Amino acid sequence: MAARTTSRSSRPVAGVAWDEVALAPVVLVHGAEHVLVERAVQRLRSLAREAQPELEVVEVEASTYQAGMLAVETSPSLFAEHRLVLVRGAEALTDALITDVLAYVGTPAADVWLVVEHRGGQRGKKLLDGLRQAGVPVAACEPIKKDSDKASFVSAEFRRGGRRVEAGAVRALVEALGTDLRELASACDQLMADTTGTVTEATVSTYYGGRVEATGFRVADAAVAGERAQAVALLRHALATGVDPVPIVAVLALKLRQLAKVAAMRGRGGVSASELGLAPWQVDRARKDLQRWTPEGLAAAITAVADADAEVKGQGRDPVFAVERAVLRICAASRG
Amino acid sequence: MTDVWEDVVGQEDAVARLRAAATDDAAMTHAWLVTGPPGSGRSVAAKAFAAALQCSGDPVADEVAVAEVRAGTHPDVTVVTTDKVTISIDEVRGLIGLAQRAPARGRWRVIVVEDADRMLERTSNVLLKAIEEPPPRTVWVLCAPSPQDVVVTIRSRCRQVGLRVPSVEAVAELLVRRDGLEPGLALESARAAQSHVGMARRLARDPEARARRRRILESAARIRGVGDAVLAADDLVETAKAEAAARSEERDAREKAELLRALGVEAGATVPPALRAQVKQLEEDQKRRATRQQRDSLDTAMLDLLSLYRDVLVVQLGASGDVALVNEGAEELVRSLAESSTPEQSLHRMDAIGEVRQRLAGNVAPLLALEAMMVALRPQV
């Protein structure tokens, strides 16, 4: 019990946000989103350079680290200049690094800032736990998942660049490039470099118009809603941005399966949503969609998707054609 | 002396040819291809042949040899079988070396490949060389459902022995004689299994298997609409998964424990990184085996459903007087289905089931394929 309490109290709930991290004798930059890790390290570097213009930056590669290297880099230098020691890639570290860093944390050198960069994963957990336990500030760089968070990331990018941006433009950018944060960040950079004045929706559409990041789920939603043109357009976007036909078919099947299950639930009354393995919002959604569907239509749609599944897995010649036909057949079936 | 051929039922012609080959060198050849539908006793025939080849005429020695072949411990008889989806190329390479060795005790070294159809083409080609230029005292016995399942280059180098579907009575008789089962039950099981010897045996001996079969048949009749169809498909896949897991769980755990012991890892201790690849390899093999088992069990369910609609069609066409029903135990079910549909619909349903069997072999998502099938089985006007 005692051990449990200590382990809990030693772990801060979450670190500082990556763009608010401040200099400290030792800083841990931790998270799976590479862009944010790079940003955080960049920020620490420029903060250090502001504080000490004569700064010397030393980079240490964690994967080839050998015992004692840290001591060499952090020992007092002849010209007494300040140093920023950056340990790169601690997610693939050697055991010697763990011992050396943890030993160093206890007695940090006065004129050295040590930054440890860890890009997520299980390896080096001992190092992470040890650093957290020592109360080292942690810059959290976890992947951004929600669209609203991506939008605030974009707004922050423009704010940092000292530029004004319209809400519509932010939305359009997230829609066009939202799946990859790095792409999103570089698009912001490009827009700031190439244009002047406020960035508007029109500007974004000049640069990134016609590009939509569609997932299988969006295709399935449109198809089940019977929106033929939109479904096909989204499907083409999805295929063009690198989604494979196989998962699209799987998502179409999933969607129809939910509809059928909810239809069965309605008929029987007794079966609950959790027994069918559906979340309440999925049931609500399916109920709404079901208004457009007849049992016969549902049967035809399921058959069409099953045909497509066999075709994308080698029984047809053209997987893309097979998916597109399935989507069209679902749209046709949904009209009853 | 025990008769090596006693378990090969209803295959008089094939047995006569194999028996002649075993006793007369002039009728012998170095490679045989035993073909026949599933359950006709291909591997039983192949093993009986292997046992016959190890007999020298001395009753006492023969009895020992036959017992050893049956137990799988005879040094000159190797049986290759797989419980995965395919036989791997490495396994076959091992056989090539083995084939070059002279027999240790008997007259022949016999290598029986039970699932010759479960070989990729390049694996077959490895085998080809050994079959083409065989050492003088080595005999290959390959088993496959039909000659077309084996690549033509191998087929042309083998002498073919075709088995046929044994009669229901012959299978029932075997079950009564060998397994000591009650004749009525044996006959019913043999009929339900459509003369598949192994399946009939399992149905007759395992009440759980009979109940499961019954449930599958009834599930088809219970489908009222599309929603039910989807739920029924879900059920069927879950049952197949559970069945595969139940069959392999214990064995998987035992294999892993054995491997860890062989590697010198204590129970509960973490596996050192250098050995992880071996454990992973084992886990992957087990996963492949689970895939195969799940597929096999779904295929069995499909066959049961197919037999049900075959019976429905028999009744609908008014032929039930001339042709025996496969599912005599479920006659009411058959009749009610026959009344509520037309022969055309029955044919469509059988087509749908056949299509799913074909698709499942092509690595489609089982749940989706079954949903489509169940949808086709629902009552339609």
Side-chain angles (χ1 to χ4, degrees):
Chain A
M1 192 62 209
R4 204 165 150 192
T5 10
T6 43
S7 82
R8 192 174 288 172
S9 63
S10 71
R11 187 172 299 165
V13 184
V16 207
W18 64 271
D19 51 354
E20 285 161 13
V21 64
L23 273 179
V26 183
V27 182
L28 171 63
V29 177
H30 176 227
E33 183 56 70
H34 293 195
V35 188
L36 298 186
V37 170
E38 278 159 30
R39 290 285 171 89
V41 170
Q42 188 60 44
R43 179 183 154 84
L44 287 168
R45 234 188 241 239
S46 49
L47 282 179
R49 213 175 279 282
E50 254 169 51
Q52 296 291 337
E54 298 293 302
L55 184 77
E56 185 191 333
V57 179
V58 186
E59 293 197 3
V60 178
E61 197 59 48
S63 58
T64 53
Y65 182 86
Q66 282 170 350
M69 278 164 76
L70 190 63
V72 172
E73 302 297 355
T74 55
S75 51
S77 81
L78 188 58
F79 305 105
E81 75 231 330
H82 278 68
R83 255 168 304 165
L84 179 84
V85 179
L86 175 59
V87 178
R88 282 210 179 272
E91 68 278 0
L93 78 185
T94 58
D95 287 346
L97 184 68
I98 301 181
T99 10
D100 283 6
V101 169
L102 292 182
Y104 175 80
V105 169
T107 51
D111 52 357
V112 173
W113 291 298
L114 175 65
V115 176
V116 181
E117 174 198 292
H118 189 289
R119 300 186 178 207
Q122 280 304 307
R123 199 150 168 210
K125 194 164 174 301
K126 197 172 157 197
L127 176 72
L128 298 179
D129 287 348
L131 287 176
R132 287 208 180 101
Q133 217 148 20
V136 163
V138 182
C141 306
E142 290 311 322
I144 298 181
K145 295 224 174 76
K146 278 193 229 147
D147 270 3
S148 58
D149 293 346
K150 283 178 194 158
S152 49
F153 173 79
V154 172
S155 315
E157 287 288 302
F158 282 104
R159 208 167 36 242
R160 190 168 311 116
R163 294 286 293 275
R164 291 167 60 82
V165 60
E166 280 180 6
V170 174
R171 203 179 46 239
L173 261 176
V174 171
E175 224 160 70
L177 300 153
T179 44
D180 187 356
L181 201 66
R182 188 180 295 275
E183 239 177 316
L184 199 56
S186 62
C188 293
D189 283 348
Q190 183 168 31
L191 282 175
M192 283 189 278
D194 288 7
T195 63
T196 50
T198 306
V199 178
T200 62
E201 203 170 338
T203 331
V204 175
S205 108
T206 313
Y207 281 77
Y208 301 102
R211 190 190 146 121
V212 178
E213 296 263 321
T215 59
F217 288 98
R218 289 185 63 189
V219 178
D221 286 345
V224 166
E227 288 167 17
R228 191 186 166 100
Q230 201 199 347
V232 172
L234 282 172
L235 174 67
R236 298 243 174 113
H237 278 303
L239 293 169
T241 46
V243 184
D244 195 69
V246 174
I248 299 182
V249 172
V251 171
L252 288 173
L254 181 77
K255 191 86 190 165
L256 291 172
R257 186 170 307 136
Q258 288 173 354
L259 289 191
K261 278 184 175 176
V262 172
M265 196 169 88
R266 230 175 12 188
R268 290 184 190 178
V271 194
S272 74
S274 58
E275 273 174 62
L276 297 174
L278 298 176
W281 65 267
Q282 286 174 319
V283 177
D284 289 343
R285 180 96 199 236
R287 281 223 175 92
K288 216 185 289 167
D289 287 336
L290 268 174
Q291 289 168 358
R292 310 180 43 88
W293 287 85
T294 61
E296 291 312 307
L298 209 47
I302 291 176
T303 315
V305 177
D307 289 347
D309 191 40
E311 277 163 2
V312 297
K313 287 181 180 156
Q315 286 176 28
R317 291 198 173 183
D318 186 353
V320 172
F321 173 73
V323 188
E324 191 161 317
R325 197 173 52 166
V327 167
L328 287 175
R329 280 168 75 183
I330 294 174
C331 292
S334 80
R335 271 164 224 173
Chain B
M1 187 192 139
T2 49
D3 181 11
V4 294
W5 302 103
E6 67 180 357
D7 286 351
V8 187
V9 290
Q11 312 289 356
E12 290 75 17
D13 297 348
V15 168
R17 284 178 61 194
L18 291 175
R19 194 197 293 270
T23 45
D24 179 8
D25 269 1
M28 187 61 190
T29 184
H30 69 283
W32 296 79
L33 178 60
V34 182
T35 59
S40 56
R42 291 184 308 252
S43 53
V44 176
K47 279 183 205 159
F49 184 43
L53 286 176
Q54 298 305 333
C55 292
S56 52
D58 171 16
V60 181
D62 283 0
E63 196 151 335
V64 174
V66 170
E68 279 181 343
V69 172
R70 284 194 180 152
T73 52
H74 197 285
D76 295 337
V77 177
T78 310
V79 178
V80 183
T81 175
T82 186
D83 38 23
K84 287 175 241 157
V85 178
T86 54
I87 296 182
S88 77
I89 199 161
D90 292 330
E91 283 173 85
V92 174
R93 287 208 179 107
L95 293 181
I96 305 302
L98 184 74
Q100 300 300 326
R101 293 192 215 151
R105 290 216 311 250
R107 288 187 303 142
W108 301 97
R109 171 169 295 283
V110 187
I111 301 178
V112 179
V113 183
E114 273 191 15
D115 306 286
D117 54 317
R118 288 192 182 271
M119 272 194 269
L120 299 177
E121 197 170 331
R122 65 192 186 110
T123 314
S124 305
N125 287 337
V126 171
L127 197 58
L128 181 62
K129 274 288 163 210
I131 292 187
E132 211 167 28
E133 292 161 12
R137 314 287 325 157
T138 298
V139 181
W140 291 87
V141 185
L142 310 181
C143 306
S146 86
Q148 276 71 37
D149 291 328
V150 182
V151 290
V152 65
T153 39
I154 291 209
R155 201 191 312 156
S156 64
R157 283 161 179 81
C158 296
R159 187 175 300 169
Q160 223 187 89
V161 179
L163 303 183
R164 56 181 187 208
V165 180
S167 69
V168 170
E169 287 73 23
V171 173
E173 193 261 330
L174 173 75
L175 291 181
V176 172
R177 175 164 53 81
R178 192 180 61 183
D179 302 305
L181 291 162
E182 192 246 317
L185 181 63
L187 195 63
E188 195 191 321
S189 304
R191 195 168 283 141
Q194 299 176 65
S195 297
H196 187 301
V197 179
M199 198 92 72
R201 184 152 170 251
R202 201 166 70 194
L203 281 178
R205 288 173 50 153
D206 183 4
E208 180 62 27
R210 280 202 297 279
R212 196 179 302 130
R213 184 169 193 279
R214 177 98 201 171
R215 268 205 304 282
I216 289 168
L217 296 185
E218 280 167 358
S219 76
R222 263 207 319 266
I223 300 170
R224 297 261 163 276
V226 179
D228 293 342
V230 171
L231 292 181
D234 200 34
D235 250 18
L236 202 54
V237 173
E238 285 306 317
T239 316
K241 253 189 214 160
E243 207 186 320
R247 258 196 256 169
S248 57
E249 200 168 5
E250 205 180 313
R251 188 165 152 204
D252 286 357
R254 200 186 56 232
E255 279 177 357
K256 192 166 172 189
E258 267 169 25
L259 177 72
L260 289 181
R261 209 184 54 222
L263 293 175
V265 179
E266 277 178 46
T270 50
V271 184
L275 299 178
R276 259 173 228 159
Q278 293 192 43
V279 178
K280 197 145 181 254
Q281 173 75 41
L282 177 75
E283 279 167 358
E284 264 167 28
D285 278 355
Q286 289 176 341
K287 206 169 147 203
R288 280 195 204 109
R289 197 165 64 198
T291 311
R292 153 107 191 254
Q293 260 173 6
Q294 197 190 331
R295 253 187 225 173
D296 284 359
S297 123
L298 281 177
D299 197 57
T300 313
M302 301 294 101
L303 277 178
D304 291 342
L305 284 174
L306 212 49
S307 76
L308 175 70
Y309 285 100
R310 175 254 187 209
D311 286 353
V312 170
L313 193 62
V314 165
V315 172
Q316 282 171 337
L317 298 178
S320 49
D322 311 322
V323 190
L325 292 187
V326 173
N327 299 290
E328 257 180 2
E331 208 182 325
E332 273 171 45
L333 185 68
V334 171
R335 296 216 176 267
S336 75
L337 276 174
E339 274 164 28
S340 64
S341 62
T342 62
E344 286 89 347
Q345 282 176 345
S346 298
L347 281 173
H348 276 306
R349 286 172 184 173
M350 289 169 84
D351 278 351
I353 299 172
E355 195 175 17
V356 169
R357 288 187 67 204
Q358 204 181 352
R359 279 182 185 173
L360 283 178
N363 204 23
V364 297
L367 184 55
L368 177 58
L370 286 181
E371 278 167 2
M373 180 197 81
M374 289 295 190
V375 162
L377 296 187
R378 80 192 193 284
Q380 293 164 57
V381 275

